[in-house]
Amino acid sequence: MTPPENKNIIEERKELIKEVLQAYPEKAAKKREKHLNVYEEGKSDCGVKSNIKSLPGVMTARGCAYAGSKGVVWGPIKDMIHISHGPVGCGYWSWSGRRNYYIGTTGVDTFGTMHFTSDFQERDIVFGGDKKLLKLIQELEVLFPLSRGVSIQSECPIGLIGDDIEAVAKKAAKEINKPVVPVRCEGFRGVSQSLGHHIANDMIRDWVFPRADQAKKDGTLKFESTPYDVAIIGDYNIGGDAWASRILLEEIGLRVVAQWSGDGTINEMLMTPNVKMNLIHCYRSMNYISRHMEEKYGIPWLEYNFFGPTKIAESLREIASKFDSKIQENAEKVIAKYQPTMDAIVAKYRPRLEGKTVAMMVGGLRPRHVVPAFQDLGMKMIGTGYEFAHNDDYKRTTHYIENGTIVYDDVTAYEFEEFVKALKPDLIASGVKEKYVFQKMGLPFRQMHSWDYSGPYHGYDGFAIFARDMDLALNSPTWGLIGAPWNKNTKAKAKAAV
């Protein structure tokens, strides 16, 4: 058990939460109170409620179900065309921001950064968009004949007017002889983007895997199995993350048959039910399909963490333990090979970062998985939380955080700012919505959704970049010219004293 720096830290931070909640009306404070807590070491849960709709009237950073499907699960499948079915705005303003790197020729055999929309108008709302959608798919087939399939990502109006996108998908699939997958991920579904992940996973189950099953039955699915076949599930290749992870898995002797959805293909999806193990990085977005493959195909899955040398080594050993002695020995060799490089990175950056504190708020897995990478550099997490996590995410978070860490679910803009003012972290690690607010407060910030246009952060290659970026963020001389608001009086007094 890690001894608390201050015996009263739990009580003090719980009191802080109460003070912050006082700004709300009584009913609102009562609702938000369930989502905020202080982690007490030894407990199996962070004690916060999650996956509940946001409080009306507050600023939340959550995405919608459409964002969860198009932006996360389906959008990065590079050789498919993903149609944003509905008004142009949702797709236009939500795409090309996540930096899902891919290999290929854009507009020829890959389409990751392109935006396709049915561009709904008033007449489509009145008369329906089925015919328009079918015509769009037919035109796209003429324009991009090397595409390997189509997904239809429904925006809000489609669910409200009742378009039959499933019928269109079946008809179009026969016409173009390619998979056409309808995804009912209208933004109003669920309380956050999380339901969009689930719906998108279900569509892979219902519209992709049956094709793989049939092809296997017909003998047309060409696949030569080996004992070391694995799939990387839930890595979106932000800044090249999946590539940095894949290098390590292949170095220990595993054969990565598929990686999705970052830099992934529809054919890799079709091959996945044949692997020996699914390795899942973003648990929140892809645990559904991994569980399905375990139940239907008997494929075990394992959540791993490739942030920071400590967790990379632990994960490599855990993955290798599921295979034979050859893979286990290879894992030890790979860990030993990279250890001197990691030691040099830590020796260079840790003295510059030791003792610095961090407050984090991101989506997905990062509020827990990145914590050990900060700890490898001597940094300390004092607050963390998710945008759209479920209770099992918070239980997993207890494995990573220390006594007294404030945990906040779907934290509002007001709450996050008040926590930061009170805790005075040295670094904020959050999303682009928060970036400029805290930078204007004079606080170092790293955008942890897409690595602030840097990366990768996964794997040994990624840790070198992560350490450099944290040093750049914290030790830039720029901050000496601004200063946090709470330090202004101190500086003024010091200047007056001189």
Side-chain angles (χ1 to χ4, degrees):
M1 185 172 180
T2 305
E5 295 172 358
N6 180 340
K7 289 181 182 177
N8 298 319
I9 191 169
I10 303 292
E11 289 74 17
E12 286 178 6
R13 291 185 175 173
K14 284 187 175 180
E15 191 60 35
L16 170 61
I17 291 173
K18 285 182 184 175
E19 289 173 11
V20 170
L21 288 171
Q22 284 175 2
Y24 291 127
E26 186 178 348
K27 193 174 178 181
K30 198 172 179 181
K31 287 185 176 179
R32 282 303 303 160
E33 185 180 15
K34 299 173 184 174
H35 299 267
L36 310 171
N37 208 343
V38 181
Y39 174 60
E40 296 177 58
E41 205 163 55
K43 291 191 175 180
S44 60
D45 199 334
C46 298
V48 299
K49 297 291 182 185
S50 59
N51 198 31
I52 299 172
K53 68 180 180 181
S54 299
L55 189 67
V58 303
M59 291 288 286
T60 175
R62 282 175 162 177
C64 66
Y66 163 83
S69 177
K70 166 71 187 297
V72 178
V73 178
W74 279 103
I77 297 294
K78 64 181 179 180
D79 59 350
M80 292 180 73
I81 285 174
H82 306 289
I83 297 172
S84 293
H85 187 34
V88 66
C90 290
Y92 182 81
W93 294 110
S94 61
W95 197 230
S96 297
R98 273 172 53 88
R99 303 171 64 246
N100 307 107
Y101 285 1
Y102 58 84
I103 296 168
T105 304
T106 301
V108 179
D109 58 1
T110 51
F111 309 92
T113 53
M114 299 181 77
H115 176 52
F116 303 92
T117 176
S118 50
D119 188 22
F120 251 47
Q121 304 296 316
E122 283 186 18
R123 63 177 179 276
D124 302 314
I125 300 291
V126 175
F127 297 108
D130 287 350
K131 291 180 181 176
K132 188 176 190 179
L133 177 62
L134 180 60
K135 187 180 179 186
L136 172 59
I137 295 171
Q138 292 165 340
E139 288 179 353
L140 287 169
E141 177 62 14
V142 174
L143 287 168
F144 305 106
L146 295 182
S147 70
R148 307 295 289 183
V150 176
S151 81
I152 303 164
Q153 307 289 318
S154 289
E155 296 173 5
C156 287
I158 307 307
L160 296 173
I161 64 174
D163 272 8
D164 191 353
I165 61 171
E166 288 82 6
V168 174
K170 287 178 182 174
K171 186 174 183 180
K174 285 182 182 176
E175 282 189 22
I176 66 175
N177 195 28
K178 295 175 183 175
V180 180
V181 183
V183 190
R184 288 205 174 272
C185 55
E186 292 88 354
F188 57 75
R189 295 185 188 274
V191 300
S192 70
Q193 74 180 70
S194 178
L195 187 61
H197 303 148
H198 198 160
I199 293 168
N201 279 207
D202 287 351
M203 293 306 100
I204 295 169
R205 178 196 66 194
D206 295 342
W207 290 77
V208 178
F209 285 174
R211 295 178 74 95
D213 296 340
Q214 188 61 47
K216 195 170 183 179
K217 193 175 176 183
D218 297 342
T220 55
L221 187 73
K222 305 298 180 188
F223 185 83
E224 293 184 10
S225 180
T226 80
Y228 306 119
D229 295 340
V230 298
I232 296 175
I233 305 287
D235 193 316
Y236 302 101
N237 208 32
I238 295 169
D241 282 337
W243 297 333
S245 301
R246 184 172 185 145
I247 287 169
L248 297 178
L249 296 173
E250 291 180 342
E251 273 197 79
I252 67 172
L254 298 176
R255 187 174 76 150
V256 180
V257 172
Q259 63 177 51
W260 36 289
S261 43
D263 195 32
T265 65
I266 182 71
N267 192 55
E268 289 178 54
M269 274 188 168
L270 291 166
M271 295 294 180
T272 304
N274 297 289
V275 302
K276 298 295 186 296
M277 176 169 283
N278 282 318
L279 302 174
I280 181 168
H281 206 250
C282 182
Y283 171 85
R284 183 71 273 137
S285 62
M286 287 288 197
N287 78 87
Y288 315 101
I289 197 65
S290 298
R291 291 178 193 277
H292 169 71
M293 282 190 271
E294 184 176 38
E295 290 171 8
K296 182 167 183 180
Y297 304 106
I299 303 171
W301 57 274
L302 178 68
E303 184 184 6
Y304 68 105
N305 181 355
F306 273 0
F307 283 104
T310 301
K311 281 296 172 184
I312 295 170
E314 278 183 23
S315 291
L316 284 175
R317 289 187 174 115
E318 190 174 4
I319 292 167
S321 71
K322 308 299 180 187
F323 295 88
D324 59 22
S325 58
K326 173 188 163 188
I327 301 297
Q328 292 166 24
E329 289 167 9
N330 287 347
E332 294 302 327
K333 289 177 186 172
V334 169
I335 294 167
K337 172 187 168 185
Y338 286 97
Q339 194 58 51
T341 306
M342 294 300 103
D343 291 343
I345 291 168
V346 170
K348 178 178 179 181
Y349 291 107
R350 186 160 181 144
R352 298 170 61 81
L353 300 170
E354 183 86 50
K356 300 292 185 183
T357 54
V358 186
M360 187 185 297
M361 197 282 286
V362 211
L365 56 89
R366 300 177 186 87
R368 61 177 182 274
H369 270 195
V370 186
V371 175
F374 281 118
Q375 290 171 339
D376 283 335
L377 295 169
M379 301 172 73
K380 181 181 173 65
M381 189 66 55
I382 56 175
T384 191
Y386 302 79
E387 293 174 13
F388 48 80
H390 294 207
N391 286 342
D392 48 357
D393 291 297
Y394 285 106
K395 285 183 179 175
R396 284 174 164 77
T397 305
T398 61
H399 305 160
Y400 293 88
I401 56 178
E402 295 182 11
N403 195 39
T405 304
I406 290 188
V407 183
Y408 28 75
D409 172 68
D410 185 27
V411 69
T412 70
Y414 157 74
E415 292 163 10
F416 200 22
E417 287 178 37
E418 292 303 306
F419 289 146
V420 166
K421 287 175 187 173
L423 296 173
K424 301 178 177 59
D426 297 298
L427 177 74
I428 309 295
S430 189
V432 71
K433 297 181 186 79
E434 296 78 37
K435 179 182 174 78
Y436 300 104
V437 172
F438 290 114
Q439 286 191 336
K440 286 177 181 178
M441 291 169 69
L443 281 167
F445 187 96
R446 285 303 297 180
Q447 202 266 75
M448 296 298 280
H449 282 290
S450 58
W451 311 148
D452 244 340
Y453 319 105
S454 183
Y457 282 178
H458 291 182
Y460 289 121
D461 290 345
F463 182 67
I465 297 168
F466 175 81
R468 180 203 65 188
D469 286 357
M470 296 310 123
D471 180 41
L472 284 172
L474 273 159
N475 294 312
S476 167
T478 308
W479 302 117
L481 304 174
I482 303 173
W486 51 78
N487 290 332
K488 283 185 178 175
N489 289 337
T490 307
K491 284 185 177 179
K493 286 178 184 176
K495 192 174 180 180
V498 172

